[in-house]
Amino acid sequence: MGRVEGKVAVITGGAGGLGKVTAEYLLKEGAKVVIVDLFEESLEKTKKELSVFGEVLAVQADVSKEEDVENYVKAAVDQFGSIDIFFNNAGIVGKIAKTVDTKAEDFDKVIAVNLRGVFLGMKHVLQVMEKQGSGSVINNSSIDGLAGGPQRVAYSASKGSVKNFV
Ligand SMILES: NC(=O)c1ccc[n+]([C@@H]2O[C@H](COP(=O)([O-])OP(=O)(O)OC[C@H]3O[C@@H](n4cnc5c(N)ncnc54)[C@H](O)[C@@H]3O)[C@@H](O)[C@H]2O)c1
């Protein structure tokens, strides 16, 4: 226990799924946690549930929008003074369809969240970590990033690309 005592963790897609579970785990290990998500209502509900384990800040943001990303990074630093752990996790699967049946706008939407969102998160969080001289970034890819899954061309392409970020 206490393996991340006093550390500050920012988790995108933190209102549900893997992000929420990770937030709970890090809180129990002593971190302060910033959950970032698209949906205000689920954010507030999750914040309430998680607050029994420790300090939680909830920030509404669309990870594909640069001004929203700048805002969640600033909010985290204003509230807790640093970002030590960044779980760059928010992602969507998109519509399941054969490549030939996938609309370009559906492809773009998945790429905007899964790829642009992960890039923007790294771009702005790494500026904070560079100043601190420390920090850890975990980009969430998928098994589909190793070998593309059927009927999810954008998801597979985005997750394959996330693996190659440096
Ligand atoms: N669940 C799995 O089996 C699995 C397997 C491999 C990889 N992953 C990856 O893990 C990550 C989380 O998956 P999950 O299963 O927990 O999904 P989920 O749908 O349960 O949770 C994703 C969260 O991201 C949020 N989100 C979606 N778009 C957003 C946006 N534009 N801005 C901010 N937040 C946004 C959603 O509101 C949601 O709370 C994804 O990147 C996913 O690709 C999941």
Side-chain angles (χ1 to χ4, degrees), residues 11-21 36-39 42-43 46 59-65 68 72 87-93 109 112-114 117-118 139-144 155 158-159 162:
I11 300 174
T12 64
L18 298 178
K20 181 180 171 186
V21 171
V36 175
D37 210 286
L38 198 51
F39 302 109
S42 44
L43 258 181
T46 299
V59 185
Q60 193 279 330
D62 180 341
V63 297
S64 68
K65 294 185 177 157
D68 284 16
Y72 78 65
F87 187 29
N88 210 354
N89 164 69
I92 56 173
V93 177
K109 193 173 168 198
V113 178
N114 296 7
V118 169
N139 292 330
N140 202 356
S141 178
S142 165
I143 193 79
D144 279 20
Y155 185 77
S158 67
K159 293 300 182 178
V162 162

Side-chain angles (χ1 to χ4, degrees), residues 107-128:
F107 181 90
D108 289 347
K109 193 173 168 198
V110 174
I111 296 294
V113 178
N114 296 7
L115 195 52
R116 181 180 158 89
V118 169
F119 155 69
L120 289 173
M122 287 175 66
K123 176 181 169 182
H124 290 283
V125 169
L126 284 172
Q127 291 173 40
V128 175

